[in-house]
Amino acid sequence: MTILQALDRYYHRLDDVVAPGWSREKFGWCIILDRQGEPVLDQDLRDLSGKNPKPKLYVVPAAVKRTVGVAPNFLWDKSAYVLGRTAGENKRTAQEHAAFVAFHMARLRGQNDEGLVALRLFLEKWTPARFDAAPFRPEMLDANIMFRLEGDTVYLHERPAARALVEAKPEDGKKENVFCLITGEPSAIARLHPTIKGVEGAQTAGAALVSFNLDAFASLGKEQGENAPTSEMAAFRYGAALNHLLTRDGPNRIRRPIGDATVVFWADAGNAKAAAAADGWFGAALAGDITDADEARKLREELEKVAKGRPLAELRPGIEDGTRFHVLGLSPNAARLSVRFWLSDDLDAFARRLAAHHSDLKLEPAPEGWGAAPSVNRLLVRSIALQGEFKNIPPLLAGEVMRAVLSGGRYPQSLLAATIIRLRAGDDPLSGWHVAVIRAVLTRDHRLRFQKEDVPVSLAREEPNKAYQLGRLFAVLEAAQRMALGKTNTTIRDRYFGAASATPAGVFPLLLRGVQNHLGKLRKDGKGGWIEREIEEILDKLSLDLPRALPLAEQGRFAVGYYHQRKERFKGRPEEAASSEAAEKGDDE
């Protein structure tokens, strides 16, 4: 099923979506006219409950698709079109207002409805200079404006005569019926596809999911929508459904974009209740970062059961077995939208892949602040984002990671490289987030047979991998330095972590000579016996020929071994571990 077909099906499930010929637009003001077309009052339509007024959404005749030309909306528009006034300077304001007046004079000709007659009289008499007098206010400039007849309870576009005009079939007998690619039925083709609003970073006026605005995109001499024939009704339906999904703070949208991709999802279930249950579970599992302890525990247990093969319908009775599910990631691309990823499958398949993702990330002890199932966004910002800021997550990499999570495919190798680069740049490996990501990449590669060796979840003393044991050894040498010298301005981790993981043969001989001084001091103080035993145990598993250089995957295993060994020291003593790590962070600062 294609994206547009899935959206078209979703439209038929919606109860509160707008009808063809209408759209939801943000409004600030309404001008109230008397029956002679004189403006008698203005009505503030904005939401005044917060600190600053916010425009509210109203259903009005569908907005026209504007590119570079002048095109007025019917019965409403921004102040430049309706009143011929703007807050700033606009050379086209007079042209836009003239177009609005001419369009309505033609469209309202012969209408006897007193509301429509009042609007026609208003436009005939209006001059932009009248805006400086009451009841108009400067706040109205550049806002969308609609009309209402004095004493009427509905807006002008809601009057029966106005609705009849809006819903009248366009007089265009020249359009040829062509098979629609969505419905498979012959119909008039949409020349321009609907505007999609709500994608983070896209133009505020909206952008097109399907468009052919350059000759390079067209073929066989066809123009605009003829290149991807879609009926006008199907185009309207998919546009309305997608705009509904992209509603800010809506239940089918991940609140924060992943990289530059705004993500929406929806279920294709037998009834609305089952679909809402499926949407709710997926939203919590994918974007959760749940703060409630009970909900977090419940989600964690469900993911573990799903990983063992239990169908989701058994765990959540409200979800139907075999529910079809869709996930769409959209990124801004000037006046158009790019599909960053599109996945469609059974909800159980998505659930199993999510469970596998969290299983691959499993690490003992868990990283600090881990929770039940951290979102992809939180995972990336804690492991690869410069200065830990969401805006520094590489957008292409974020999209690739999301696709790997949802498809169950291989994580991008650039994720492993970016994580190790952050560790070399000074990020703290003991936070655990970088190590969890490294383990996930390597574990999945092993499961998909790209790597021969698996990566242990917790400390594995008998692990044969040389890089893992070197990571352990580095952690023990660091502990020896700290016990012997106490607080220092620079530890061996600060100076040698990157070099030791990449070129161990050039660094470890130096470190092993240096540790003898530390051990000598500890012996005099009667301490450090366990350090000598750990060093002997690890060196027994290493051959004398240390590798001159380690590839990226082995550098990842080095980081995992380091983390396991450092955390083992305080295993079962979380308070001492927290105290030690706080002291180290204090040293770094």
Side-chain angles (χ1 to χ4, degrees), residues 257-261 263 331 340-341 376-377 380-381 384 390 392-406 411-412 414-415:
I258 296 175
D260 66 347
V263 182
S331 300
R340 187 67 78 192
F341 49 82
V376 171
N377 254 336
L380 295 180
V381 80
I384 64 170
F390 287 99
N392 292 332
I393 297 175
L396 290 177
L397 177 57
E400 290 298 315
V401 172
M402 193 67 185
R403 183 183 291 112
V405 171
L406 295 175
Y411 292 110
S414 51
L415 176 62

Side-chain angles (χ1 to χ4, degrees), residues 408-429:
R410 194 181 186 193
Y411 292 110
Q413 292 303 291
S414 51
L415 176 62
L416 178 62
T419 308
I420 290 176
I421 286 172
R422 289 308 314 157
L423 288 177
R424 287 183 185 169
D427 281 8
D428 183 7

